[in-house]
Amino acid sequence: MGVVFKVRNLATDGLESFALKTYAAVRAADPAMVCLFHREAATWIRLGRHPNIVQALWAENLDGALSILMEFVPGQNLKQVI
């Protein structure tokens, strides 16, 4: 479905980390999928900060890949938990 990268904010000398999730480029070629992605991302971003939801900050189409920047939450991944 996609890939998640841990990225650092260079403006703060890398002190802030974020998660950048990119979705398969094939989906970015489908106008209906792009519209759905941006609508869902906008809703997620408007939710703001909540203790049970990872906060989304922005959504873009980066080099043909639909991408969402969100807060980084340290911990185990789902495979490790299961």
Side-chain angles (χ1 to χ4, degrees):
M1 182 173 160
V3 178
V4 179
F5 299 95
K6 182 178 178 183
V7 297
R8 294 184 323 228
N9 183 350
L10 296 179
T12 62
D13 292 327
L15 297 176
E16 289 181 304
S17 293
F18 298 95
L20 178 67
K21 184 170 187 176
T22 60
Y23 295 88
V26 173
R27 297 167 196 251
D30 179 359
M33 191 60 135
V34 172
C35 182
L36 179 63
F37 168 81
H38 284 291
R39 191 172 73 220
E40 289 182 2
T43 300
W44 186 11
I45 291 166
R46 280 194 306 272
L47 289 174
R49 189 166 296 283
H50 185 278
N52 298 324
I53 301 173
V54 172
Q55 183 178 16
L57 304 169
W58 60 254
E60 292 286 332
N61 187 334
L62 300 175
D63 293 329
L66 301 174
S67 305
I68 297 178
L69 183 73
M70 60 192 94
E71 70 177 316
F72 174 76
V73 179
Q76 296 177 323
N77 63 38
L78 184 59
K79 185 176 181 179
Q80 293 169 321
V81 172
I82 293 174

